[in-house]
Amino acid sequence: MVSLLKDFVESEFFLIDGDSLLITCFFNVNFKKGQTLHFFYIVEQFLHDFIQKEAKFVIVFFKDAENLYYNHPEILALRTILIYHLKYNTDVTIHTEFSNCLTPEWEIFLKECYPYFLIVSDKGLTTRQTDFLNILIMHALQKKINIVQILGIESDVLRIYGFLASSLYMHKLFFETHETQLQHALRAYVIEYYQRLQERDIFLYGHLKLNLGEMQKEIHQTLSLLFNRWPEGADIRSIVCSISCAVTLKHYKKILHDAQDSENLYTCTENHNTQDLNKPLTLKEAADLCRMHCLSVIFLQRLPLFQRAKSRIITYIWDKTLVPFLRMLHRCQIFILNQLKARNNWNVNFTGLPDLTDNSLWKNIAYYYEIEHNRGLNLELGNTLKQGYEELWNTVLTLSEDDDFGGSMPVRTTSRLFLTQKETSPRVPGSNQGIHKLGLIPLKAEIIEVYAGDILSELPFLSSDDPAVTALSKKKEFDELMHWHSSRPLSDDFERTKCNSDAKSKGKKERRDMQKLHHFYHVFGKSLVGSNKSVRITRGSSLPPPESSSVQKKKTHQTNAEKFIEENQKRQLAKLEKKEEERWKNLSVYIEKEMKENPNSGIKKLEDFLQTCPVKSVKFAAEMVGLDACFKLWMECCLKPESRDMNIVINLMKRIHIIHQKYSELLKNTDKQKLAKYLKYVGFDNLAHSLYPQAQESSTEKDISKYSVCMGAARFQLTYMGHYLLREERSDPDPRVHHFIPDTWQRELLDVVDNNESAVIVAPTSSGKTYASYYCMEKILRESDDGVIVYVAPTKALVNQVVGTICSQFTKALPKGLVVCGVFTRDYRHDTLNCQILVTVPQCLEILLLSPHNQKWVKRMRYVIFDEVHCLGGEIGAEVWEHLLVMIRCPFLALSATISNPEHLTEWLALIKRYWQHVESKMENSSSSQNVLKVPKKQQRKRIEKSSYRVRLVWYTERYNDLEKYVCSLKDDDFIIEHYHPCAALTVNHIKKYGIPLDLGFSSRESILLYDAMVHVWPEWTRMQELEPEEFSCFKNKIIITRADAKKYEEKLKEEIIHWSQLDPSKVNQLFTYLKPQTFDSAEIKKKRMFPHFVEKLKEMNRLPAIFFSFNIHSVEYSASRLLTHLISKQVSRDDPNSEREKKILYKKLWKARKSQRRNIAAYFNSDSSARIQRIILLQAEIKEIKKKLKKHYAISPDCTYTDRTVVDYQTLAKILRRLRGTRQCYKLYSLLKRGIGYHHGSMENKQRQVVEMLFRLKHVKVITATSTLALGINMPCKSVVFMEDSVFLDALNFRQMSGRAGRRGEDLIGNVFFYDIPLPKIERLLKSNVPKLKGQFPLSISLVLRLMLLVAKADDKEDAKAKALSILQYSLMSFKQPKINCMLKFYFIYSLQFLVREEYLNQECIPIGYSGLVSHLHYHEPSNFVLVSLLKKGLFHKLCIPTKIKGQKSFSEEVMEKLVVVLANLFGRYHLPSCVKNFKKPFSHSVVILDDLPKEFAEVVKEHNTRIQENFGSFLLTISKLADMTKESQLPLSEIDFSGKECEDSELVSHLMPGTESRTAVSPFACLSNITDQDLFDVDMINDAMLQTIDVNVKNIPFLCLSKYDMTGRKCPLNGYVLNFYKNRSLSALTLDNWLNMGDAFNLIRDFALTVQSIRISLSELCDDEDDNVVLAFKQLSKAFNSILERKAID
């Protein structure tokens, strides 16, 4: 399942098939048929959940689908009501104008409003409806619209999940092949069938002919009568009830009369039960039924929902003989609603539509009059209700124009039984027992009162003598280090992490390993930071202050020493100038010659000189020489028009820009005249005049038009020089930065660090935001040896990169045992607690922060840097980022390139800092007097220098390099690469709704392309001249057009597009269509086959190095291997056919020469002979010559490799590649890297990833295939980024992260993004969608609450621990400015504590006891961690793990191991498949696709656990129900129609029918209409639909382990058997083929499972005194088996 709304929430919409929505809600397990209001509550809950999460959707009801309900008029009536309710009572957009999915109108709609996915059911009410839906699914897939199954949709507080089927080329191929058959099936099999059905006569009871046409005419006439009677308008319920009863009775009377005159053979009947055919209702009986219906409608109108929710539950149903008449009523309702649509002049109140009928109420009234009234019970109706009822029935009589139907009283005039007893036993939910006494177990803990005291004060508590309280066991307190069960110390997660060695290691081998590791980190870091010297830190030395600081103010008087220094600097400068002049004099002739012979090489050499020359005057002279050379080259080129190279003019203009901008003070008149001349020659007369107005055109001057570039200066600069346009950069250095001049926003970051402030830093990739992190590190290192700075990175790859950078950048002499840098990840750690810079991942820092015995180390933290902080919005592990941000006291830097709402994030973080300011102030005040007496004065002064509590937002949006996008398609084995203009992604609707996205930027060339397209589309455009590049105000006669000028032009064009969309939308549509590239579709397999040729094409275009992104590990490696195969084949095809034979001959000669040499060397030692020496020398020369010849045979042609042999020498390359030794599949990666190819993904070993990253940065590797792990902050910029294939994970966030790699600052002038196998609609969505907003995660879990209680109970510093726990509880991002969610979190916290106490993990003082340690170690796997404890307590694992002895040692059979795997997979490897998976079972008998159920004895224990959970949670909901907002509970969630009101007290009948005897205090009143009671809250399957809206504690957050999961129609969703399949077959490939997992997911899931087994093994071994315990040994054997398989078979 995937999160449906993470991708394009704010920019794109999706479709919901209305009939699928209808079917899904109709078959909801909690819905009782006939309860219309409850049905609409279910529908609105479903839609409101989407709308709350900012989803944009449209609901579509196809006209032809209406025919599918022909035999189900009650459902068709519900469908009609649903359409009108959505139309009149909600803001939901619905479409009902399309006949079916194969019509041209539907095709046009899809083309104009391309949806991201279609939510639809794969199963219909009938087989024909299933076919109709399947045709819709096939049509959508071939249109490249993804499909989401509505039956499998789930949601939590923040997200909605579903099974998504991605569109593939095979779908399009299938549809095109079978399109004719599908159209025929839809027309003949579905539509025409029902048309023929409607043409046949309908007979009630087999012989009463019903004419639907006459009924519709009758309704039309009756509507007119009612309009005249109620011209001012009326309630929809009164209208439908009065007309349906009148018309049905009138029509029924007629068909009864007709039946008496003639006998008819029926051809179609409403009821096929022959025994009912002879029992039609009499007219009086029909009138009785209609009278009771009218009375029920009056009840609906006059009684509030809460009173109706008290209705008694009866187990009677309508007698079968009533069904034909009831269906007649339903058909009548449908016709009434359809005809009402045409009467726009009638003021109809449609708010009653969702409550049109109440079948249970109708039956309740019938039961009273049929049974109880006949027994003598005579109850008053009440004046109000009686008056309303009489008015309604009199209206029926008036409309029917017949008095035969009787008056309003008595209600019942006949004795026929309308009801029959239902013979099914009532449903019994979770528990058969009565509801326990309500109340909470009293707990004593200060943190509970502080956080949830306001809620608890309003809730009841159990007394101390209550059985639930007295039953609690008196357990010994749990200590983190000493388990209650064992005398052995229990390790924590930090100690369990592998630690090979660190600075405190005593062994020689460990110390040697650390030396090797640090040496590699140093080399690795050099590839990151270049050749800059590392900074040697001296303790106590401070960084230089900024120039604005008071320290930097100039003195008014210079001392003699300062004068001497100044004079010396002048002499040194003059000496340097003379030296550089001499160097230029020597080089200039050579460079001029080179530029003439090879322009590109010559210009490169000139640029190299300019970069190394520090003297401005010499640089100016060099620039002028380069300018002259470029002009001469251009003149020579123009003499040969066919060889005109525009790059020469570009370099000419580039030189003019630089000279005019940077050396304007050195320009003389002659220089200006020369520049003006050159400008004039290339056709820029206006610029020449602007630069040197004195220049006069000579009448004798020869014609120079042949040298012109034939376009205006502004157009030329924008078209060809966009990447060279000068940026507004500061020229004043900052003393805090040595290697570059920082921009203004970067200086603000340095100020933040200097002031010990916190900051949220949002800036594009490669913009330089990370520099502040290393500046911060340097600051902390200089301050002291105690301060710690923590760098939090999301991935291990980024951890390695940061560690390498630190090791190469900083050195510091520290006391013995301390080091500069340490690492802590889930896989390994070193120097974690004895370093000054700790680099870690979020989960590991959380372990340290929540550890009760690591508080001293935590207090040493001075700064925390969060890199890629947008991971806060992820799906897995994101709550940990949130916990860290709220728990840290010290300042922080939060870095990201992709946050769409940074203001909201900053505001939340500022609130947290204010909390910590208050906490620290309070703690200081309480202990200030004691501390002042004890602490020395120096430390007192030092303490005054506190961290600031300010949080700044530094938001920089401009990317240094522009990105240009290209779409690649395949046509006749040739690649068509078309430029994709960003505007081509827009639509008029998108602009009107959301405007143009802020980050949808153009390059300068794209601005010109847009202007030309606008002129082409609208030649009469009024502002055409104004926005013509040469006339635009920022460009006109401007010699230097800056990047800022180009951006202003871009903004003006965007404003004009918005203006066009308001003025004439059709022109905008034409414009976007004109800009769209032409693409050609082809099979995915063909594109994969042609991938190597595409890379060759990029090489020809000079677009390498490039990163090729895919989301599938298998595709990543396969593509790299295919590329290598292509290069080898290419080389083999070019080799001499005799090459192999010659190599064999040479090898044979080499073997003989070596053999002869060994023999001569041996002989030489026996007899000292000069002849022998001579012979040895000759043989050595021969061997050398043979090797030389062999090397030529093995030499790789330059066009058969992507490496550049000049950038990395052989020794360095060999040294780096040597690190691959011993790694998994090193031979494969080694072969790829030798050819300049690499791959990168999360399943690789660290050493492998590091080698690939280094060689790519060193420019040895030019092609890398990678997953998204490479996009998360890894410093691997490239020239191009290629998206290789579509994926549901390719969303707006990943797109921006990945495309941000393109364009290396300082190396590439522009970045290139290529879409290789991505559908055009997907590209459009990626470009125009915004990055999802950070809204937080559900911050709590029961395991986390337990860990917080452990921290508070056992911490060394109680106040600090309490403050940390409260920060997590009170300041979640999800509840920020959301009081309703904050209240819900308090409910969940209270429930968590109650659960932990009842299950004996906490005592009443909230001190951990029992198996708390084991549960907290497995906190990643809730609720399975709690279930595991239940299984351990029952001793089931000891019964299972029976060993056999082999050679005196215990071992376990494969049968035992497989059974153990099944048990653990059911707990820790839960990955559900869709319910329809059984229809696609693969014929592989050896593969385990569906996981076996838990063994019976294990399942029984799980059921016991679940029963306790259901009882506890149900009781909790009942306890807190009094806190619900009852005013909201009577409103529908989406339309907000209110069904509250004053209860009717003057009716004895109402009091009798609605006595409220069943307990319904904690159930939604809407659900009560379907006979749901409080007892149903003890059934976990019913809780979410039944519970009160305003309580909203999601059942997903309780520790209930659902053994069997079902979709909304009751079909079972089986568990994926991937764990058992992997264990049995030892293959990851089997999981991709048989278990529907991609390679990346498969590897990660198996690795996580193996880590869980290992964690359980360690915990059990520490908890158990007996080392030879069977369970411990079984887990040890299983853990060893999984680890060995992963090492051998990680990638097949």
Side-chain angles (χ1 to χ4, degrees), residues 26-220:
F26 185 80
F27 288 107
N28 185 290
V29 291
N30 293 339
F31 171 64
K32 186 177 179 183
K33 293 177 183 178
Q35 299 310 110
T36 312
L37 186 54
H38 186 210
F39 169 80
F40 280 95
Y41 176 72
I42 295 169
V43 170
E44 290 204 12
Q45 263 193 323
F46 181 86
L47 298 178
H48 185 249
D49 198 21
F50 277 98
I51 291 170
Q52 265 193 325
K53 296 173 174 67
E54 298 186 26
K56 303 291 187 296
F57 59 86
V58 166
I59 301 178
V60 179
F61 291 89
F62 291 105
K63 290 179 184 177
D64 290 340
E66 185 176 329
N67 299 321
L68 302 170
Y69 303 98
Y70 182 77
N71 290 330
H72 303 275
E74 67 282 359
I75 301 180
L76 181 57
L78 205 57
R79 180 184 191 267
T80 310
I81 299 168
L82 175 60
I83 291 171
Y84 289 116
H85 172 65
L86 293 173
K87 180 178 179 181
Y88 293 116
N89 295 328
T90 72
D91 295 326
V92 175
T93 304
I94 64 169
H95 288 275
T96 57
E97 67 270 26
F98 307 113
S99 296
N100 57 67
C101 63
L102 300 183
T103 58
E105 294 81 11
W106 177 247
E107 299 268 349
I108 294 168
F109 173 76
L110 291 182
K111 188 176 181 182
E112 291 178 350
C113 310
Y114 211 97
Y116 175 43
F117 55 81
L118 168 67
I119 295 181
V120 65
S121 173
D122 66 326
K123 185 179 180 182
L125 189 68
T126 62
T127 54
R128 285 184 172 83
Q129 188 174 36
T130 301
D131 293 337
F132 186 90
L133 292 171
N134 285 333
I135 291 172
L136 173 61
I137 290 170
M138 285 185 280
H139 180 269
L141 287 171
Q142 70 96 16
K143 287 292 180 185
K144 298 190 181 297
I145 298 169
N146 301 322
I147 294 296
V148 172
Q149 281 193 33
I150 195 169
L151 297 174
I153 287 178
E154 296 178 0
S155 69
D156 55 27
V157 181
L158 294 165
R159 292 184 176 82
I160 296 176
Y161 306 91
F163 294 107
L164 186 140
S166 298
S167 170
L168 301 173
Y169 180 78
M170 59 181 285
H171 297 133
K172 181 181 179 181
L173 203 62
F174 175 86
F175 190 88
E176 288 175 350
T177 307
H178 301 92
E179 185 171 7
T180 306
Q181 293 97 312
L182 290 172
Q183 285 178 339
H184 174 75
L186 186 63
R187 176 61 54 190
Y189 183 57
V190 179
I191 300 170
E192 291 181 0
Y193 170 82
Y194 285 100
Q195 286 176 349
R196 289 195 301 271
L197 205 61
Q198 291 180 45
E199 291 169 2
R200 297 161 68 186
D201 293 330
I202 295 176
F203 287 87
L204 307 180
Y205 303 102
H207 63 285
L208 302 179
K209 186 177 179 180
L210 174 63
N211 191 317
L212 295 179
E214 288 184 9
M215 180 183 276
Q216 293 187 62
K217 290 177 183 177
E218 193 69 45
I219 288 171
H220 182 73

Side-chain angles (χ1 to χ4, degrees), residues 1160-1226:
N1160 278 281
I1161 290 171
Y1164 168 75
F1165 285 111
N1166 294 328
S1167 59
D1168 189 4
S1169 168
S1170 58
R1172 291 283 181 191
I1173 295 173
Q1174 190 69 24
R1175 180 67 178 158
I1176 290 170
I1177 293 170
L1178 289 173
L1179 284 170
Q1180 184 64 35
E1182 184 182 352
I1183 290 170
K1184 190 175 181 180
E1185 186 64 27
I1186 294 170
K1187 283 183 177 180
K1188 193 175 179 181
K1189 289 179 180 179
L1190 277 171
K1191 191 176 180 181
K1192 286 182 181 179
H1193 278 287
Y1194 282 102
I1196 300 172
S1197 173
D1199 61 343
C1200 295
T1201 182
Y1202 298 113
T1203 59
D1204 184 351
R1205 295 187 182 90
T1206 61
V1207 294
V1208 181
D1209 61 83
Y1210 178 78
Q1211 288 184 337
T1212 305
L1213 180 63
K1215 188 177 180 181
I1216 294 172
L1217 290 176
R1218 198 178 299 130
R1219 190 164 172 78
L1220 293 176
R1221 288 180 182 176
T1223 60
R1224 189 171 56 243
Q1225 292 190 338
C1226 58

Side-chain angles (χ1 to χ4, degrees), residues 629 729 883 987 1095 1634:
E729 296 175 344
H883 297 162
T987 61
V1095 179
D1634 306 332

Side-chain angles (χ1 to χ4, degrees), residues 1028-1046:
E1028 209 281 327
E1030 307 307 323
E1031 299 298 325
F1032 185 63
S1033 56
C1034 294
F1035 300 160
K1036 194 169 184 179
N1037 298 331
K1038 200 167 183 180
I1039 299 169
I1040 300 175
I1041 295 176
T1042 63
R1043 186 179 173 88
D1045 295 331

